[in-house]
Amino acid sequence: MTDIIKFNKFINTLGEIYALFDTAMAEFPFACAKQCSDCCTCNVTATGLEIAYIQHRLKGRALDDIRLRPARAGQSRRFRPLQTTNGFALACMEGRDTDEEENDPSWGICPFLEDGICTIYPVRPLGCRVMMSTTPCRQTGQADMPFLALTITTIFMQFVEHLDAGGVYGNFLDLLEHAENNILDCNGLTGKGNISGITPNLKIPALMIPPEHVEKTRNLVQSIGSIIR
Ligand code: SF4
Ligand code: SF4
């Protein structure tokens, strides 16, 4: 299989995973609504493949727009993860301590937000999709996630990273800026070196599913597995 065919296959697979995630989350009574956007900050994360997905799916002016917005945001401080979800799973398996990473919404709003609405909503990365709450965050000052929903989002984070193993993970806006400079790695296909503030994606070492959710998530895990195969 050529790199182009392989790459298109990964892009389509990612779209199917997003669709499955949205369906799985529709089972929960989330309070999230249009123009509720306190969760839309400069701290969202993504994989390199997710950036490529956005670039593939957007056309014309929308595509030009994603090249301009990250720089327009101008925040100097953004959440830059030191490890990926699968990196965290690996650290837990190996009994290594992991540092709590600082992440503050006051560092700034996401530059893709316009009048409280996401301008790239259909193609937004999983890091945005997983932000949900059963009560409006503005009321409580935090997101309320049912425990099972949290497990399911973690499973999806692990698979989306796994799909792009060999690629990179980092702050969404940083990755967009790197992509613009053509130094973003997806699936290890472009094979570029280390970029500051960006972390390599890993394959799943083990799924982080609490014992009480193993049965409840079994079919879902099989469905994601069959999409990825
Ligand atoms: S996660 Fe919170 S701020 Fe974001 S849409 Fe849902 S309720 Fe609103
Ligand atoms: S990309 Fe869209 S959904 Fe994600 S944080 Fe920005 S405005 Fe919100």
Side-chain angles (χ1 to χ4, degrees), residues 122-144:
V123 295
R124 70 203 187 287
L126 188 64
C128 304
R129 291 170 200 257
V130 299
M131 284 195 246
M132 294 177 172
S133 176
T134 51
T135 47
C137 298
R138 195 160 283 197
Q139 275 176 22
T140 56
Q142 60 177 38
D144 294 315

Side-chain angles (χ1 to χ4, degrees), residues 41-44 51 69-70 73 75 78 109-112 170-178:
T41 71
C42 61
N43 298 325
V44 165
I51 303 299
R69 283 193 190 249
Q75 299 100 342
R78 298 169 181 169
I109 59 165
C110 176
F112 288 96
N171 178 282
F172 173 51
L173 302 176
D174 283 350
L175 289 183
L176 278 167
E177 284 169 350
H178 287 304

Side-chain angles (χ1 to χ4, degrees), residues 12 54 82 101 179-180 197:
N12 291 335
I54 294 169
L82 296 175
E101 297 179 51
E180 185 51 19

Side-chain angles (χ1 to χ4, degrees), residues 39-193:
C39 55
C40 291
T41 71
C42 61
N43 298 325
V44 165
T45 58
T47 65
L49 184 65
E50 291 187 285
I51 303 299
Y53 178 87
I54 294 169
Q55 291 170 324
H56 266 245
R57 296 286 157 111
L58 294 181
K59 308 267 176 265
R61 279 177 64 180
L63 188 57
D64 292 340
D65 201 45
I66 63 159
R67 297 192 175 113
L68 300 172
R69 283 193 190 249
R72 226 190 273 161
Q75 299 100 342
S76 56
R77 199 146 187 213
R78 298 169 181 169
F79 174 61
R80 296 189 165 100
L82 296 175
Q83 68 181 349
T84 63
T85 313
N86 289 333
F88 178 75
L90 190 62
C92 294
M93 285 172 70
E94 293 174 348
R96 280 185 279 122
D97 286 339
T98 54
D99 293 331
E100 181 104 359
E101 297 179 51
E102 203 184 348
N103 185 343
D104 189 337
S106 73
W107 290 340
I109 59 165
C110 176
F112 288 96
L113 202 59
E114 216 163 88
D115 299 327
I117 293 174
C118 174
T119 49
I120 56 164
Y121 192 77
V123 295
R124 70 203 187 287
L126 188 64
C128 304
R129 291 170 200 257
V130 299
M131 284 195 246
M132 294 177 172
S133 176
T134 51
T135 47
C137 298
R138 195 160 283 197
Q139 275 176 22
T140 56
Q142 60 177 38
D144 294 315
M145 279 285 267
F147 186 26
L148 180 60
L150 202 56
T151 298
I152 292 173
T153 59
T154 304
I155 291 170
F156 275 90
M157 291 292 286
Q158 289 196 259
F159 272 108
V160 165
E161 178 183 345
H162 181 92
L163 183 66
D164 194 17
V168 294
Y169 176 72
N171 178 282
F172 173 51
L173 302 176
D174 283 350
L175 289 183
L176 278 167
E177 284 169 350
H178 287 304
E180 185 51 19
N181 295 324
N182 295 316
I183 52 170
L184 193 60
D185 194 6
C186 297
N187 288 104
L189 292 176
T190 49
K192 298 293 187 294

